[in-house]
Short mmCIF file of all heavy atoms in Angstrom, two decimals:
data_model
loop_
_atom_site.label_atom_id
_atom_site.label_comp_id
_atom_site.label_asym_id
_atom_site.label_seq_id
_atom_site.Cartn_x
_atom_site.Cartn_y
_atom_site.Cartn_z
N SER A 53 6.54 49.56 14.48
CA SER A 53 7.47 49.06 13.46
C SER A 53 8.85 49.69 13.55
O SER A 53 9.78 49.23 12.92
CB SER A 53 6.89 49.30 12.06
OG SER A 53 6.65 50.70 11.88
N ARG A 54 9.02 50.74 14.35
CA ARG A 54 10.30 51.44 14.36
C ARG A 54 11.30 50.84 15.35
O ARG A 54 12.48 50.80 15.10
CB ARG A 54 10.08 52.92 14.69
CG ARG A 54 9.29 53.67 13.62
CD ARG A 54 9.19 55.14 13.96
NE ARG A 54 8.48 55.88 12.92
CZ ARG A 54 8.24 57.19 12.97
NH1 ARG A 54 8.64 57.90 14.02
NH2 ARG A 54 7.58 57.77 11.99
N LYS A 55 10.80 50.37 16.49
CA LYS A 55 11.70 49.89 17.54
C LYS A 55 11.62 48.39 17.76
O LYS A 55 12.24 47.88 18.68
CB LYS A 55 11.38 50.60 18.86
CG LYS A 55 11.55 52.11 18.80
CD LYS A 55 11.25 52.74 20.15
CE LYS A 55 11.40 54.25 20.09
NZ LYS A 55 11.11 54.89 21.40
N ASN A 56 10.87 47.69 16.91
CA ASN A 56 10.70 46.27 17.16
C ASN A 56 11.91 45.44 16.77
O ASN A 56 11.95 44.24 17.05
CB ASN A 56 9.48 45.74 16.39
CG ASN A 56 8.19 46.25 16.99
OD1 ASN A 56 8.19 46.93 18.00
ND2 ASN A 56 7.08 45.93 16.35
N ASP A 57 12.89 46.03 16.12
CA ASP A 57 14.08 45.27 15.75
C ASP A 57 14.90 44.87 16.97
O ASP A 57 15.69 43.92 16.91
CB ASP A 57 14.94 46.07 14.78
CG ASP A 57 15.28 47.45 15.32
OD1 ASP A 57 14.60 47.88 16.27
OD2 ASP A 57 16.21 48.08 14.79
N LYS A 58 14.71 45.55 18.10
CA LYS A 58 15.45 45.23 19.31
C LYS A 58 14.73 44.21 20.18
O LYS A 58 15.26 43.80 21.21
CB LYS A 58 15.70 46.50 20.13
CG LYS A 58 16.54 47.54 19.40
CD LYS A 58 16.77 48.75 20.28
CE LYS A 58 17.59 49.81 19.55
NZ LYS A 58 17.81 51.00 20.40
N VAL A 59 13.53 43.83 19.81
CA VAL A 59 12.76 42.87 20.60
C VAL A 59 13.22 41.47 20.23
O VAL A 59 13.01 41.01 19.10
CB VAL A 59 11.25 43.04 20.35
CG1 VAL A 59 10.46 41.98 21.12
CG2 VAL A 59 10.79 44.43 20.77
N ARG A 60 13.82 40.77 21.19
CA ARG A 60 14.28 39.39 20.97
C ARG A 60 14.00 38.60 22.26
O ARG A 60 14.86 38.56 23.15
CB ARG A 60 15.77 39.36 20.62
CG ARG A 60 16.12 40.00 19.28
CD ARG A 60 17.59 39.84 18.96
NE ARG A 60 18.42 40.45 19.97
CZ ARG A 60 18.79 41.75 19.97
NH1 ARG A 60 18.38 42.53 18.98
NH2 ARG A 60 19.55 42.23 20.91
N PRO A 61 12.83 38.02 22.37
CA PRO A 61 12.54 37.22 23.57
C PRO A 61 13.48 36.03 23.69
O PRO A 61 14.05 35.55 22.72
CB PRO A 61 11.09 36.77 23.36
CG PRO A 61 10.54 37.72 22.34
CD PRO A 61 11.68 38.09 21.46
N PHE A 62 13.65 35.55 24.92
CA PHE A 62 14.52 34.43 25.27
C PHE A 62 15.99 34.76 25.09
O PHE A 62 16.83 33.86 25.21
CB PHE A 62 14.18 33.18 24.44
CG PHE A 62 12.82 32.60 24.72
CD1 PHE A 62 11.75 32.92 23.90
CD2 PHE A 62 12.61 31.76 25.80
CE1 PHE A 62 10.50 32.39 24.14
CE2 PHE A 62 11.35 31.24 26.04
CZ PHE A 62 10.30 31.55 25.22
N GLU A 63 16.35 35.99 24.81
CA GLU A 63 17.75 36.37 24.65
C GLU A 63 18.08 37.46 25.66
O GLU A 63 17.25 38.31 25.97
CB GLU A 63 18.03 36.87 23.22
CG GLU A 63 17.82 35.80 22.16
CD GLU A 63 18.16 36.31 20.77
OE1 GLU A 63 18.78 37.41 20.70
OE2 GLU A 63 17.84 35.64 19.77
N SER A 64 19.32 37.44 26.13
CA SER A 64 19.76 38.44 27.10
C SER A 64 19.87 39.79 26.43
O SER A 64 20.50 39.94 25.37
CB SER A 64 21.11 38.03 27.70
OG SER A 64 22.09 37.91 26.68
N GLY A 65 19.26 40.79 27.01
CA GLY A 65 19.27 42.13 26.44
C GLY A 65 18.19 42.38 25.42
O GLY A 65 17.98 43.52 25.01
N GLY A 66 17.51 41.34 24.97
CA GLY A 66 16.47 41.52 23.96
C GLY A 66 15.08 41.69 24.53
O GLY A 66 14.12 41.83 23.76
N GLU A 67 14.96 41.68 25.86
CA GLU A 67 13.66 41.83 26.50
C GLU A 67 13.47 43.21 27.12
O GLU A 67 12.42 43.48 27.69
CB GLU A 67 13.50 40.76 27.59
CG GLU A 67 13.56 39.34 27.03
CD GLU A 67 13.53 38.29 28.12
OE1 GLU A 67 13.59 38.69 29.31
OE2 GLU A 67 13.42 37.09 27.81
N ALA A 68 14.46 44.08 27.02
CA ALA A 68 14.33 45.42 27.59
C ALA A 68 13.28 46.23 26.84
O ALA A 68 12.52 47.00 27.45
CB ALA A 68 15.69 46.14 27.56
N SER A 69 13.21 46.07 25.51
CA SER A 69 12.21 46.81 24.74
C SER A 69 10.80 46.33 25.08
O SER A 69 9.86 47.14 25.13
CB SER A 69 12.48 46.64 23.24
OG SER A 69 13.73 47.18 22.89
N LEU A 70 10.63 45.02 25.33
CA LEU A 70 9.32 44.52 25.73
C LEU A 70 8.88 45.12 27.06
O LEU A 70 7.73 45.51 27.23
CB LEU A 70 9.37 42.99 25.84
CG LEU A 70 9.17 42.19 24.55
CD1 LEU A 70 9.36 40.71 24.82
CD2 LEU A 70 7.81 42.45 23.95
N GLU A 71 9.80 45.20 28.01
CA GLU A 71 9.46 45.78 29.31
C GLU A 71 9.18 47.28 29.18
O GLU A 71 8.32 47.81 29.89
CB GLU A 71 10.61 45.53 30.29
CG GLU A 71 10.84 44.05 30.59
CD GLU A 71 12.04 43.83 31.48
OE1 GLU A 71 12.76 44.82 31.75
OE2 GLU A 71 12.26 42.67 31.90
N PHE A 72 9.86 47.95 28.25
CA PHE A 72 9.59 49.37 28.03
C PHE A 72 8.20 49.58 27.44
O PHE A 72 7.44 50.45 27.89
CB PHE A 72 10.65 49.96 27.09
CG PHE A 72 10.33 51.35 26.62
CD1 PHE A 72 10.49 52.44 27.47
CD2 PHE A 72 9.86 51.56 25.33
CE1 PHE A 72 10.19 53.72 27.03
CE2 PHE A 72 9.57 52.84 24.89
CZ PHE A 72 9.73 53.92 25.75
N PHE A 73 7.83 48.77 26.45
CA PHE A 73 6.48 48.87 25.87
C PHE A 73 5.41 48.52 26.90
O PHE A 73 4.32 49.10 26.92
CB PHE A 73 6.36 47.96 24.66
CG PHE A 73 7.12 48.44 23.46
CD1 PHE A 73 7.82 47.55 22.66
CD2 PHE A 73 7.13 49.78 23.12
CE1 PHE A 73 8.52 47.99 21.55
CE2 PHE A 73 7.83 50.24 22.01
CZ PHE A 73 8.53 49.34 21.22
#
Side-chain angles (χ1 to χ4, degrees):
S53 58
R54 294 184 178 180
K55 299 181 180 180
N56 289 356
D57 54 344
K58 298 181 181 180
V59 177
R60 294 184 300 273
F62 294 97
E63 297 182 12
S64 59
E67 299 175 353
S69 297
L70 276 175
E71 296 176 353
F72 170 75
F73 288 140

